[in-house]
Amino acid sequence: MTENSDDITELRPGLWDTVNDRYPGSMITKADLIPLAKAAKPLSASRLTFVSTSGVQRRGTMPFDTVHPVGDYTFRRVPSDSKPGDLEIHQLKYPTVGAKRDLNVIFPIERLRDLVNEGFIGGLTDNFYTFIGYNMDAERLERTLAEDIAAAVEAEKPDVVLLAPA
Amino acid sequence: MFLPFMMGHHFGVPFHVELQKRIIKEALRRIKLAENSGDIYHFPMTWAQARTEGKEIERLRVG
């Protein structure tokens, strides 16, 4: 304890004010927001796809490069009828203690099928899409990976896309 | 939708099927309920609550 220990002070004040100062271009600003899109049909009649940064992929497919210094800008298709046992995680940047016991905590493939069976969602696309979230070049990600996934998703013609980080 | 959960657990805790489904449903409800682009909805549950419920589910599974 010191006489100032109750004070809330920055250890390095003024170093940078936002993450964007430290990693320019990495943060979305209000100016980047696109107009809100309203659903054209009810969820119960909509086909959904899922896009995740979890690094989940089918066993036997090319593993994501989890140790490349600037990241891996590729994506994988994961068939939406896969069993959790058919899948594995290639990502080091988040704790997988829960996902190793129940993959649905990060990649809820069984729960999405449950919601289709319950009629909450109309259906699923043939594939879901994954990549790894640790990519240090935001501009490259936007120019390559984001465009590649967008094109692949669009080709499956979903009505709704659920996006989730890991 | 923002969840104050541990990284790697954005859909809840292991074997908590109802919580996992509830999180997906709440996220998808934002399609109708969001008023503006960029709106953030805070899921009304703490990580401690999720963990407590998860532990009880695991206790019943083992038992």
Side-chain angles (χ1 to χ4, degrees):
Chain A
M1 292 284 281
T2 70
E3 62 182 276
N4 294 322
S5 60
D6 289 333
D7 292 343
I8 300 173
T9 56
E10 289 182 64
L11 292 177
R12 303 174 75 180
L15 183 60
W16 59 75
D17 290 328
T18 69
V19 174
N20 212 33
D21 289 342
R22 182 70 180 86
Y23 302 105
S26 62
M27 295 292 287
I28 294 171
T29 67
K30 281 282 183 187
D32 296 322
L33 297 179
I34 58 172
L36 192 63
K38 288 292 182 184
K41 51 175 114 169
L43 272 171
S44 58
S46 297
R47 286 175 77 236
L48 178 143
T49 198
F50 178 47
V51 178
S52 162
T53 65
S54 60
V56 169
Q57 57 186 108
R58 276 187 302 167
R59 291 184 187 277
T61 55
M62 175 68 80
F64 287 110
D65 186 347
T66 57
V67 294
H68 194 286
V70 295
D72 182 333
Y73 298 82
T74 63
F75 72 89
R76 304 287 182 275
R77 288 181 174 83
V78 177
S80 61
D81 61 356
S82 302
K83 296 174 184 154
D86 299 334
L87 307 174
E88 58 188 3
I89 301 171
H90 285 280
Q91 171 61 303
L92 306 173
K93 300 297 191 294
Y94 67 86
T96 53
V97 58
K100 283 182 176 165
R101 301 177 62 229
D102 178 5
L103 188 66
N104 292 286
V105 303
I106 198 66
F107 195 78
I109 190 165
E110 292 179 303
R111 299 295 85 80
L112 287 167
R113 289 200 293 261
D114 289 346
L115 292 175
V116 170
N117 292 334
E118 293 169 16
F120 187 81
I121 302 168
L124 304 173
T125 54
D126 290 343
N127 296 289
F128 295 155
Y129 296 85
T130 67
F131 59 105
I132 57 175
Y134 186 78
N135 289 307
M136 299 307 291
D137 185 340
E139 190 277 331
R140 180 178 173 192
L141 186 146
E142 189 172 352
R143 179 168 40 82
T144 60
L145 176 57
E147 290 290 340
D148 292 344
I149 287 191
V153 165
E154 213 170 1
E156 294 217 42
K157 302 192 183 307
D159 301 298
V160 173
V161 182
L162 177 64
L163 308 172
Chain B
M1 185 167 84
F2 176 79
L3 294 102
F5 289 2
M6 180 181 177
M7 278 183 79
H9 298 75
H10 293 86
F11 293 93
V13 291
F15 314 116
H16 197 333
V17 173
E18 289 310 313
L19 175 60
Q20 293 168 3
K21 286 198 288 190
R22 183 181 155 204
I23 291 168
I24 297 169
K25 286 181 172 179
E26 284 294 331
L28 294 177
R29 286 195 180 105
R30 296 301 106 201
I31 294 169
K32 278 203 167 181
L33 298 177
E35 293 180 353
N36 296 295
S37 182
D39 280 359
I40 297 173
Y41 171 73
H42 291 257
F43 188 76
M45 183 182 229
T46 65
W47 176 238
Q49 289 170 321
R51 285 258 297 155
T52 300
E53 291 185 8
K55 281 181 180 174
E56 178 63 12
I57 287 168
E58 299 225 23
R59 190 183 66 78
L60 294 172
R61 286 181 89 233
V62 173

